[in-house]
Amino acid sequence: MGIIGSTIKPFKATAFKAGEDFYEVTNEDIAGKWAVFFFYPADFTFVCPTELEDMGEKYEMLQQMGVEVFGVSTDTHFSHKAWHDTSDKIGKLKFPFLGDQMHALANNFGVLREDSGLADRATFVVDPDGVIQIMEITCEGVGRNANELTRKIKAAQYVRDNPGQVCPAAWEEGSDTLAPSLDLVGKI
């Protein structure tokens, strides 16, 4: 079954966010909002902190775009706090981290590695209706790019706000879009 266009499943997870107490996040908390679920294999690793730091550099911009970001691994919220308190890169981050030690989120999004109990390196963008619009999964050794993710979110938001329009490859905000029609068939 394809995951793009599907609705996220109900979930409940304990979050850690710098400067706040632990708190619960559910699918109901993201209803009506754009959300990014940024899965990574584990706390205290190597590629993961570089990706999370990169995402942290875009977090304020994403918030201004109406997007909440959740870092997610199969670690506990306690581990997230310990990593935050001991890592310079992670200590700077302002977005919440969800503990998924029971693997509910990783299973819901289909990214749990059964043999290790870890999540794949995967990103999901969910629209305000709870529908998955974007997904990306990379191999263990390849980090993701927050600039490209931000570009894709802008495109998804544009398409949602402008029915009948689509964004071509490498589209940037303000660039021309397309209106698919029979007139365009064979002319692109």
Side-chain angles (χ1 to χ4, degrees), residues 11 17 31-32 40 48 66 79 87 92 94 119 131 133 135 137 166 183 185:
F11 73 88
K17 185 174 181 178
Y40 60 95
C48 301
S79 179
S87 167
K92 296 185 293 188
K94 307 261 188 265
V131 176
Q133 296 296 332
M135 68 176 277
I137 301 174
V166 296
D183 297 340
V185 173

Side-chain angles (χ1 to χ4, degrees), residues 89-112:
K89 288 186 184 302
I90 302 306
K92 296 185 293 188
L93 302 179
K94 307 261 188 265
F95 56 82
F97 286 77
L98 302 180
D100 190 32
Q101 67 271 20
M102 301 305 291
H103 305 156
L105 282 164
N107 276 318
N108 284 355
F109 283 93
V111 295
L112 180 67

Side-chain angles (χ1 to χ4, degrees), residues 37-170:
F37 291 87
F38 198 77
F39 286 87
Y40 60 95
D43 292 350
F44 299 99
T45 54
F46 312 101
V47 174
C48 301
T50 66
E51 292 183 303
L52 292 163
E53 179 183 42
D54 186 44
M55 179 62 73
E57 291 171 2
K58 296 291 182 218
Y59 183 57
E60 187 175 316
M61 177 192 300
L62 289 166
Q63 291 256 277
Q64 292 170 359
M65 293 167 50
V67 180
E68 184 54 82
V69 174
F70 298 97
V72 187
S73 75
T74 57
D75 298 292
T76 67
H77 52 287
F78 297 112
S79 179
H80 293 329
K81 181 177 180 351
W83 196 25
H84 176 272
D85 292 349
T86 59
S87 167
D88 291 339
K89 288 186 184 302
I90 302 306
K92 296 185 293 188
L93 302 179
K94 307 261 188 265
F95 56 82
F97 286 77
L98 302 180
D100 190 32
Q101 67 271 20
M102 301 305 291
H103 305 156
L105 282 164
N107 276 318
N108 284 355
F109 283 93
V111 295
L112 180 67
R113 298 182 206 160
E114 294 287 342
D115 60 335
S116 66
L118 301 177
D120 283 323
R121 192 175 304 288
T123 307
F124 297 89
V125 177
V126 178
D127 73 15
D129 297 319
V131 176
I132 298 170
Q133 296 296 332
I134 297 169
M135 68 176 277
E136 176 184 21
I137 301 174
T138 66
C139 65
E140 181 77 23
V142 177
R144 293 160 283 181
N145 183 316
N147 286 326
E148 176 59 9
L149 176 61
T150 301
R151 184 196 73 78
K152 289 177 186 178
I153 294 170
K154 287 179 181 180
Q157 289 178 332
Y158 181 90
V159 168
R160 180 182 171 90
D161 293 342
N162 297 277
Q165 296 291 309
V166 296
C167 298

